[in-house]
Amino acid sequence: MTTRTAALSALLVLGTTLAAPVTFLSVQNEDQGATKIIGELAREYQKTNPASPYTYQNAPQTDLAQKLQLLAASSSLPTVYNIDQPALLGQLYKTGQAADLEATFKKLGIYNTLNPAAVALIKRQNDGRLVTLPLELNIEGFWYNKAIFAANGLKEPRTWAELVKDAATLNAKGLQPFAASGDQKWPLTRLIGGYAARKYGYDVMDRVKAGTLKLTDPGFVEAARAVQDLGKKNYFGKGVNTVDYATAVDQFLQGKAAMIYMGSWVLSDFNDAARNKIGTQNIGLFNFPAVTGGKGSTNDWSLNTGISTAVNQKFNDADLGNWIKYVFTRYGNKALAESGMITGFTVTQTPRNLPVLTSLTQTKLKAVKNGYLWFEANFSPKATSVATDNAQLLVTGDITPQDYMSKLQDALK
Amino acid sequence: MERTLRDWRAITVFVGPALLLFVVILVVPIVWSLGYTLTEGSVIAGFHFVGLSNYVRLAQDPAFWSALWFSVKYAVLVSAGQVFFGLMLALLYSFYLKRSSVLVRTLVFLPVVLPTVAVAQLFVKLFAIAPQYGFLNSFLHAVHLDDLVQPWLGQGGSAFWVIVVMDVWKAMGLYAVLLYTGLMDIPEDTLEAARLDGAHGWKLTQFIILPLLTPVIVTSLIFSLNGTLKVFDSVLALTGGGPGTSTTPLTLYMYKTSFSYSQYGYGSTIAVALTLLCMIVSLIIIRRSREN
């Protein structure tokens, strides 16, 4: 080997060692939720490991799939990235651009930091593979204003009929029963999914995926009709389809609506004293109520692990292993202590003063018998769009429950 | 001149660069896109040949036909509105406001230069119902017409008209200026002669101004129709194609199909349909104007 070749090889080796940056492509702002916690831990790691500088990139959620496809086509996906389409993630896994995290975590000896329930949820969504990180563990249900309920002599409803009756009582007194963002569309389909889970059981959408249940079956049409009825009776307020996410949350937090169906990711908004005018002590949570003749149980909850986050297999070497080990053995504790976030990572140090709603959510989570995913979790992007777009027409009565479900069944083909 | 035009070297030097640019920027992508229409797949999974099945699917796709109907309905109404109000404004500038029309022309032209997203936000607020009533609903409430208070952008029928009103309002200033320059070109002698012959008001407009203005009106219509058939930003910013898909034009359907559903082949097929539509409309208008 000539001196020049040796020098060049040395430079290359050095270059490889030095260039191990970690880039996180996220739909969240850098000071928000999981992205904030990861960013802080990564910068901590960078102090002792300057060879692994951390950079953050942002992509709006609406452009995420398109951006990921372009990056993946040129083999330029970042180290860690948000991804909101299971089908796309499956393709990336097959082309070696998404890591098998079960193998990775086991190899690093930190598999026990993952909450088994969260792992099971991710596997159910991704053909039995652990390909995303459980950065959150969210529970979904009806959050309600205790003061409004007490003032009107209402109790947490146990059945759908009781829920509708409560809504009627509130509406008759000029109070808006539910806040919902029809502009975001998914808050409406969540209700259809919840109703179906109570009607057929928690595994309802897995059965639809397997083809043993059809969306045109009577239980689904009943679910669509039940949600349509709420819309037709104006229980979501005027102009539900023009209400954006922040407005819906604010309607609830300003006491203008008595209930909101939402995931526990909303706790960061509930814990924001500037926005929350009704006080965290005044907020309660109940599960999706039972429906007449339904097989589902109110011990089953809708759960999810937040926006999916994958690791690029291309960079999955020893250096990245050290980074993963550092960040994700600390992630669960830090997220809970600093942001009151419940994650899919085990917590070894429980903070003394947990926010009251975080404690409430934890209590509910502990009692979960079976978890189920949201309505469109198994759908293709096209079917998801058919479900959400038409939900707007469903609640305004512009499409019949039968038409809604048959359009959706057609889109599944 | 004739010798220059016969000189292929001169042609190469003068026309070549522009032609090359035209081919690279316009013709190649169109041919490329045509190729995609015969395939299915994505940039990651790869593409495979499917023959004409995307065209068969297009013919049987109700969402395509409803988007096409929206695009045509919207284009006809908005183009007619833009050119009609543009013409009325041009006549106003020319015959009533005369030299003092500069301020009015500037004000009417202002929305043309404003970003569409900003104009859409303005209209969202004007027609809002939640969390607070917008201008229109507040007005209806104030005059005790509460029965008419409604989510203007939250229901397909009224959302369509809001988009139409917005796009007519936004672009009529541009067509007013175009037609005003056309009016300026009509010789004063011709108008004077017509007036001496007793043509005034509507008669003057009908028999002298409109026939002389026809080339500019036709050009305006072609511009407007092609622009409105390709409407994208105002719909996206105002309603996002909703509620449901009731305000989804072909362009938005094409965009969603390609980039949200990752169906590039079918998305390209919709794009080809849109290109054909624009070409047909332009050809019809040009042919009609030649016949006249």
Side-chain angles (χ1 to χ4, degrees), chain B residues 96-114:
Chain B
Y96 292 95
L97 299 173
K98 295 191 175 154
R99 286 178 200 284
S100 58
S101 72
V102 179
L103 179 69
V104 180
R105 264 187 290 160
T106 314
L107 285 175
V108 176
F109 194 79
L110 189 67
V112 179
V113 290
L114 287 177

Side-chain angles (χ1 to χ4, degrees), chain B residues 43-63:
Chain B
V43 275
I44 304 164
F47 293 91
H48 59 274
F49 184 75
V50 292
L52 293 174
S53 70
N54 280 328
Y55 290 94
V56 176
R57 182 177 159 194
L58 191 77
Q60 296 167 345
D61 181 3

Side-chain angles (χ1 to χ4, degrees), chain A residues 65-76, chain B residues 43-44 259 264:
Chain A
Q66 186 185 351
K67 184 160 186 165
L68 289 174
Q69 289 186 45
L70 290 174
L71 288 171
S74 55
S75 196
S76 314
Chain B
V43 275
I44 304 164
F259 301 115
Y264 289 86

Side-chain angles (χ1 to χ4, degrees), chain A residues 166-186:
Chain A
D166 288 355
T169 308
L170 292 164
N171 197 49
K173 294 197 175 172
L175 283 159
Q176 185 179 320
F178 304 98
S181 169
D183 173 67
Q184 286 284 307
K185 306 169 192 173
W186 57 261

Side-chain angles (χ1 to χ4, degrees), chain A residues 62-63 65-66 68-70 72-73 85 88 91-92 95 97 183 185 238-243 247 251 256 381-382 385-386 388-390 392-393 396 398, chain B residues 42-45 57 61 63 129-133 146 149 151-156 240 242-246 253 255-264:
Chain A
T62 42
D63 298 341
Q66 186 185 351
L68 289 174
Q69 289 186 45
L70 290 174
Q85 291 187 2
L88 179 61
Q91 288 176 350
L92 293 179
T95 53
Q97 297 187 82
D183 173 67
K185 306 169 192 173
K238 283 179 183 169
V240 57
N241 288 335
T242 64
V243 174
T247 304
Q251 282 177 334
K256 290 177 184 164
K382 168 85 183 172
S385 189
V386 170
T388 51
D389 285 347
N390 288 317
Q392 288 190 321
L393 300 177
T396 52
D398 290 322
Chain B
S42 72
V43 275
I44 304 164
R57 182 177 159 194
D61 181 3
I129 188 163
Q132 283 97 28
Y133 283 175
D146 290 80
V149 168
W152 299 97
L153 288 164
Q155 45 198 28
T245 51
S246 53
Y253 186 47
Y255 176 81
K256 280 188 178 172
T257 304
S258 304
F259 301 115
S260 300
Y261 313 154
S262 307
Q263 297 173 351
Y264 289 86

Side-chain angles (χ1 to χ4, degrees), chain A residues 104-325:
Chain A
T104 306
F105 273 59
K106 277 182 176 164
K107 194 174 149 197
L108 295 170
I110 55 167
Y111 190 68
N112 60 354
T113 58
L114 298 172
N115 177 328
V119 169
L121 270 180
I122 293 175
K123 285 185 170 180
R124 254 174 74 186
Q125 207 187 330
N126 295 287
D127 297 327
R129 286 188 288 262
L130 182 69
V131 279
T132 64
L133 296 159
L135 296 182
E136 293 172 15
L137 187 56
N138 295 311
I139 193 164
E140 291 180 14
F142 286 94
W143 304 87
Y144 69 100
N145 185 322
K146 287 183 185 171
I148 293 182
F149 266 52
N152 292 284
L154 306 178
K155 284 182 187 166
E156 288 184 7
R158 289 183 181 181
T159 63
W160 183 262
E162 283 177 23
L163 179 75
V164 174
K165 203 176 153 200
D166 288 355
T169 308
L170 292 164
N171 197 49
K173 294 197 175 172
L175 283 159
Q176 185 179 320
F178 304 98
S181 169
D183 173 67
Q184 286 284 307
K185 306 169 192 173
W186 57 261
L188 304 175
T189 58
R190 289 292 215 267
L191 300 177
I192 302 172
Y195 195 103
R198 291 294 175 264
K199 192 78 190 171
Y200 289 106
Y202 74 96
D203 58 348
V204 58
M205 296 317 286
D206 296 330
R207 285 158 66 193
V208 170
K209 191 180 178 184
T212 53
L213 267 182
K214 276 192 169 178
L215 292 173
T216 43
D217 289 348
F220 285 105
V221 177
E222 184 186 321
R225 185 174 296 113
V227 176
Q228 183 176 59
D229 284 346
L230 298 183
K232 276 181 164 176
K233 288 175 184 162
N234 248 341
Y235 290 171
F236 296 120
K238 283 179 183 169
V240 57
N241 288 335
T242 64
V243 174
D244 61 27
Y245 179 81
T247 304
V249 173
D250 284 340
Q251 282 177 334
F252 177 69
L253 290 179
Q254 291 169 12
K256 290 177 184 164
M259 293 174 267
I260 185 168
Y261 181 89
M262 196 51 70
S264 52
W265 60 82
V266 77
L267 288 188
S268 57
D269 295 324
F270 287 2
N271 287 329
D272 182 347
R275 286 181 72 187
N276 188 344
K277 305 292 177 202
I278 58 175
T280 49
Q281 299 286 353
N282 199 16
I283 297 176
L285 169 68
F286 61 86
N287 199 357
F288 206 99
V291 302
T292 317
K295 291 176 187 143
S297 149
T298 47
N299 291 322
D300 303 337
W301 286 78
S302 174
L303 302 178
N304 68 68
T305 52
I307 180 146
S308 300
T309 308
V311 175
N312 192 345
Q313 177 62 17
K314 200 173 110 183
F315 301 113
N316 196 1
D317 56 9
D319 281 343
L320 186 68
N322 290 333
W323 183 88
I324 290 176
K325 202 168 177 177

